[in-house]
């Protein structure tokens, strides 16, 4: 039987991590536990590995693909500062064969996607993005853009790429989240049709064209990728993203130990972690019917030559060498070889602006602060940072704009924990609050606020609902609530109290029929991720000149940090997880 070989390199959810990313491994050695710190990945190291893989494929006369599984946008100061232009520039230098549209590409509507398309030199796939109702007179139109492979409403299929593949043809189909309007902010005239149905119809169409070697480039996440593979026959390979899934055996490093290229319904699924820390490299053999026979490969960290090791009992020179030998022996750990040309571009064009922000100190964090999306036994009130963010918004809006009764913010809008030490502008814009979202004030009836709180928690915990993830969990300032997950839907918020403006530290029960003024991000007030009851507000008004990170930065500059770090937390019942 004739076979066809493919050499594949893939990345996903890079989130503007152009520099090597800080990584931590937990290593067991000689009955001792070590924390090993290093840096991995980044654009220049990925470029080197892709070049090596491409060269090897050429030497073997194999077909080569380099694919990006979506979510290049957001995540670091590079995006905050350059708004996608640096992403396009560096991706052009990396030269992927295709990238699929991720949800974070469309966080701020269609306009940034249009700018990105105008600047890239490779295809952006979004095969279930339906632009048939797009306003033809609007600026930043996406329909018919030569770099965009969207939905074909006449045929009911995804537009796809076809490449020569020895004596056959290879199709690449891009598919993204059909829940895009729930978790991102596409323009109102943009729809995302059912992902599974689109792929099924596209596969049928390709088979009618006698194309059987079909790669689906997906930004659905590992769970939906599995469902896609199980429900649709004829997919040769799924190259995924969105869920930050690190496949491969990294158990010796205290990380995941899941199979690389897990198979569902004869279809392998690969995904390469997050933040450009790792790259997936695979060798794939197809039969003449498009079925993968063997797939070999792995995800690979690209580590510094040196690392820092710590242990509660200290680290001896012998142990340091043993750890170095262990890391060197692991086949899925590569070195720090990098592409000098790409590193030069970063250093010359983009790094100076980032360095300037890293030298702007806002204060000193007296202890480690943990951000977790959901409360737990270890942290019964949940995040130590999100309520602090809410407090900063409350005070800045109240002081400089207008009266506000409460602030409501979703857990996913805060991205990372903070270590003890200096808090810089770079920390805020690049780590904690990388999404430069406008703040919106609204007037809402008490009963709808109660509905929003329950709906967001239900969605975050999947408590008898189809959830959107823990990022929807609500954090507050000026209002506190008690949630009992054992109750029926609509009855789980058992008490809500509002902070009195007349009496300091006095809480009064919320009146379901009374109106209150709240402030949230534009993302939350658009009804995403369980917050649809906020759309029942009497009105919503964007606050001019103030965004989520700018309010926090201004507050930190005006307040002593000890005062700033004493937020009024929201109160939760112990039965939250039930």
């Amino acid at each position: 039987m004739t076979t066809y070989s493919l050499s594949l390199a893939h990345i996903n959810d890079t989130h503007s991590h152009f520099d090597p990313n800080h990584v931590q491994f937990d290593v067991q050695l000689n009955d001792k536990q070590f924390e090993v710190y290093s840096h991995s990945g980044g654009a220049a190291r990925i470029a080197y590995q892709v070049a090596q893989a491409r060269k090897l494929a050429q030497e073997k006369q194999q077909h080569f693909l380099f694919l990006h599984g979506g979510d290049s946008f957001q995540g670091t100061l590079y995006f905050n500062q350059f708004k996608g232009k640096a992403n396009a520039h560096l991706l052009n230098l990396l030269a992927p064969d295709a990238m699929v549209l991720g949800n974070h590409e469309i966080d701020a509507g269609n306009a940034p996607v249009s700018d990105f398309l105008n600047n890239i030199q490779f295809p952006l796939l979004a095969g279930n993005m339906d632009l048939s109702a797009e306003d033809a007179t609007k600026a930043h139109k996406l329909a018919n853009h030569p770099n965009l492979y969207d939905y074909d409403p006449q045929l009911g299929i995804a537009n796809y790429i076809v490449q020569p593949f020895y004596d056959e043809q290879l199709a690449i189909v891009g598919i993204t989240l059909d829940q895009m309007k729930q978790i991102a902010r596409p323009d109102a005239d943009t729809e995302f049709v059912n992902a599974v149905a689109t792929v099924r119809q596209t596969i049928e169409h390709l088979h009618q064209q006698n194309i059987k070697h079909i790669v689906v480039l997906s930004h659905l996440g590992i769970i939906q990728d599995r469902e896609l593979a199980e429900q649709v026959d004829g997919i040769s390979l799924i190259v995924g993203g969105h869920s930050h899934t690190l496949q491969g055996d990294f158990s010796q490093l205290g990380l995941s130990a899941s199979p690389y290229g897990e198979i569902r319904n004869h279809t392998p699924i690969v995904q390469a972690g997050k933040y450009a820390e790792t790259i997936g490299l695979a060798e794939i053999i197809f039969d003449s019917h498009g079925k993968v026979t063997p797939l070999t490969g792995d995800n690979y960290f690209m580590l510094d030559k040196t690392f820092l090791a710590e242990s509660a009992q200290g680290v001896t020179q012998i142990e340091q060498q043993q750890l170095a030998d262990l890391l060197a022996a692991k086949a899925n750990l590569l070195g720090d070889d990098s592409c000098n040309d790409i590193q030069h571009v970063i250093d010359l064009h983009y790094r100076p602006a980032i360095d300037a922000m890293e030298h702007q100190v806002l204060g000193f964090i007296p202890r480690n602060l943990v951000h977790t999306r959901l409360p737990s036994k270890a942290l019964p009130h949940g995040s130590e940072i999100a309520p602090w963010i809410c407090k900063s918004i409350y005070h800045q809006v109240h002081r400089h704009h207008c009266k506000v009764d409460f602030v409501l913010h979703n857990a996913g809008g805060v991205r990372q924990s903070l270590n003890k030490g200096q808090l810089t502008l770079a920390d805020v814009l690049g780590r904690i609050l990388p999404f430069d979202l406008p703040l919106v004030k609204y007037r809402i009836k008490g009963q709808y606020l109660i509905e929003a709180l329950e709906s967001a928690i239900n969605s975050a915990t999947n408590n008898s609902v189809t959830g959107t993830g823990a990022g929807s969990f609500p954090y507050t300032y000026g209002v506190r609530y008690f949630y009992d997950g054992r109750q029926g839907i609509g009855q789980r918020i058992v008490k809500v109290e509002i902070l009195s403006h007349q009496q300091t530290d006095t809480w009064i029960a919320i009146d379901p029929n009374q109106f209150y003024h709240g402030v949230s991000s534009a993302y939350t007030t658009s009804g995403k991720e369980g917050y649809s009851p906020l759309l029942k507000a009497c009105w919503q008004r964007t606050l001019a000149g103030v965004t989520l990170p700018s309010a926090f930065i201004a507050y930190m500059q005006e307040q002593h940090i000890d005062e700033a770090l004493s937020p009024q937390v929201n109160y939760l019942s112990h039965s939250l997880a039930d």
Side-chain angles (χ1 to χ4, degrees):
M1 180 180 289
T2 305
T3 60
Y4 303 85
S5 59
L6 171 68
S7 179
L8 172 70
H10 61 102
I11 54 178
N12 55 269
D13 299 274
T14 50
H15 287 294
S16 311
H17 284 261
F18 305 146
D19 295 327
N21 205 46
H22 180 268
V23 292
Q24 176 186 338
F25 303 135
D26 295 319
V27 181
Q28 186 84 15
L29 180 69
N30 301 332
D31 297 322
K32 284 179 63 175
Q33 192 73 24
F34 296 87
E35 292 180 353
V36 176
Y37 301 93
S38 187
H39 295 85
S40 181
R45 296 184 192 182
I46 285 174
Y48 176 86
Q49 297 300 335
V50 171
Q52 292 300 109
R54 183 179 279 118
K55 179 181 177 182
L56 184 60
Q58 289 171 346
E59 291 172 354
K60 293 180 177 180
Q61 297 185 320
Q62 289 181 343
H63 196 87
F64 178 79
L65 280 181
F66 173 39
L67 301 175
H68 192 307
D71 273 4
S72 168
F73 279 18
Q74 302 288 8
T76 72
L77 285 167
Y78 287 112
F79 186 80
N80 183 280
Q81 185 72 12
F82 299 105
K83 307 300 182 189
K85 287 184 170 52
N87 301 68
H89 186 182
L90 291 170
L91 282 170
N92 284 338
L93 296 176
L94 286 169
D97 291 279
M99 171 180 159
V100 66
L101 180 78
N103 52 293
H104 284 294
E105 268 75 64
I106 204 162
D107 274 338
N110 291 19
V113 180
S114 175
D115 292 339
F116 186 64
L117 286 165
N118 291 336
N119 286 312
I120 59 176
Q121 299 164 4
F122 53 87
L124 182 66
L125 309 185
N128 57 329
M129 184 186 206
D130 185 357
L131 297 167
S132 58
E134 186 179 60
D135 180 358
T137 65
K138 71 190 283 189
H140 302 289
K141 289 190 300 180
L142 300 183
N144 302 314
H145 196 289
N147 286 335
L148 181 64
Y149 287 68
D150 57 346
Y151 181 69
D152 184 333
Q154 277 72 43
L155 295 177
I157 65 170
N159 287 305
Y160 52 86
I161 299 170
V162 175
Q163 296 182 348
F165 191 54
Y166 307 101
D167 60 345
E168 297 282 346
Q169 290 181 304
L170 175 75
I172 306 172
V173 178
I175 205 77
T176 193
L177 292 154
D178 47 32
Q179 310 101 318
M180 194 69 81
K181 289 203 169 185
Q182 284 72 53
I183 65 171
R185 300 173 65 202
D187 287 3
D189 57 8
T190 302
E191 298 296 331
F192 289 83
V193 300
N194 184 272
V196 171
T198 301
V199 173
R200 180 182 291 112
Q201 289 160 206
T202 306
I203 297 287
E204 291 173 358
H205 172 84
L206 288 167
H207 284 176
Q208 291 168 8
Q209 314 305 310
N210 201 33
I211 298 173
K212 299 176 182 177
H213 298 85
I214 303 166
V215 175
V216 171
L217 183 57
S218 159
H219 195 78
L220 299 178
I222 192 66
I223 293 175
Q224 291 191 60
D225 281 341
R226 291 166 181 158
E227 294 173 354
L228 177 65
E230 289 167 353
Q231 294 180 37
V232 180
D233 296 331
I235 303 173
S236 302
L237 172 70
I238 296 175
V239 180
H242 183 57
S243 55
H244 297 192
T245 303
L246 178 63
Q247 295 178 325
D249 185 1
F250 296 95
S251 55
Q252 277 188 291
L253 306 180
L255 299 176
S256 65
S258 60
Y260 177 81
E262 70 166 90
I263 297 175
R264 297 293 177 105
N265 189 22
H266 309 294
T267 299
I269 304 167
V270 296
Q271 193 173 144
K274 62 178 178 17
Y275 301 161
E277 295 168 350
T278 53
I279 183 171
L281 298 171
E283 297 295 321
I284 306 162
I285 304 295
F286 302 88
D287 66 18
S288 58
H289 301 291
K291 181 180 176 182
V292 171
T293 46
L295 180 151
T296 59
D298 212 334
N299 282 316
Y300 297 85
F301 284 92
M302 297 152 278
L303 295 177
D304 294 347
K305 286 186 174 67
T306 59
F307 61 87
L308 173 66
E310 294 181 353
S311 171
Q313 296 82 35
V315 184
T316 68
Q317 286 186 337
I318 293 175
E319 290 168 336
Q320 184 82 14
Q321 185 59 52
Q322 289 175 328
L323 288 168
D325 292 343
L326 184 151
L327 296 179
K330 279 198 64 62
N332 49 11
L333 299 183
L334 302 175
D336 62 357
D337 302 280
S338 63
C339 172
N340 292 332
D341 290 343
I342 286 186
Q343 191 59 56
H344 177 71
V345 168
I346 294 170
D347 293 341
L348 179 65
H349 294 285
Y350 303 116
R351 187 69 215 177
I354 308 307
D355 288 339
M357 284 185 274
E358 288 178 342
H359 287 92
Q360 294 187 46
V361 178
L362 301 176
F364 184 85
I365 305 298
R367 60 180 178 84
N368 292 344
L369 297 174
V370 177
H371 174 60
T372 178
R373 292 186 170 188
L374 291 176
S376 63
K377 290 182 178 178
L379 290 166
H381 292 308
S383 173
E384 296 178 300
I385 298 177
W388 180 26
I389 304 297
C390 292
K391 179 180 181 181
S392 71
I393 296 170
Y394 180 94
H395 281 278
Q396 289 306 113
V397 171
H398 194 272
R399 178 173 178 179
H400 298 288
H401 290 268
C402 47
K403 175 186 173 183
V404 59
D405 295 308
F406 67 90
V407 170
L408 175 62
H409 187 48
N410 65 306
V414 181
R415 303 307 287 182
Q416 295 189 28
S417 300
L418 281 173
N419 294 326
K420 176 181 177 180
Q422 287 184 337
L423 177 70
T424 67
L425 184 62
D427 290 324
V428 175
L429 296 177
R431 294 179 58 202
I432 314 172
L433 300 171
F435 305 138
D436 194 24
L437 294 168
L439 292 178
V440 175
K441 183 178 179 181
Y442 48 95
R443 185 170 184 259
I444 193 167
K445 209 172 186 179
Q447 73 176 87
Y448 301 139
L449 172 58
I450 294 169
E451 288 178 12
L453 290 168
E454 177 176 327
S455 177
I457 300 172
N458 287 344
S459 186
T461 59
N462 288 352
N463 194 350
S464 303
V465 299
T466 301
T468 54
S472 67
F473 189 80
Y475 286 96
T476 63
Y477 186 84
V479 66
R480 65 183 185 183
Y481 58 84
F482 298 76
Y483 175 95
D484 187 344
R486 297 166 299 190
Q487 304 303 316
I489 291 178
Q491 304 297 320
R492 291 170 179 164
I493 297 292
V494 295
K495 182 164 62 172
V496 183
E497 296 176 328
I498 203 96
L499 191 62
S500 172
H501 288 290
Q502 283 73 39
Q503 297 175 304
T504 304
D505 296 330
T506 299
W507 293 89
I508 56 177
I510 198 169
D511 183 345
N513 296 310
Q514 179 66 39
F515 288 90
Y516 300 91
H517 293 97
V519 173
S520 300
S521 73
Y523 179 83
T524 303
T525 55
S526 64
K528 309 295 184 186
E529 300 192 41
Y531 288 90
S532 57
L534 295 187
L535 297 174
K536 299 176 183 178
C538 301
W539 48 257
Q540 294 186 1
R541 296 170 187 163
T542 300
L543 296 174
V546 58
T547 64
L548 177 61
S550 72
F552 180 68
I553 291 164
Y555 180 67
M556 290 304 301
Q557 290 172 332
E558 293 173 8
Q559 300 291 324
H560 189 278
I561 200 161
D562 289 335
E563 178 185 345
L565 275 171
S566 57
Q568 182 68 53
V569 299
N570 43 341
Y571 288 80
L572 316 167
S573 78
H574 66 275
S575 57
L576 171 66
D578 290 349

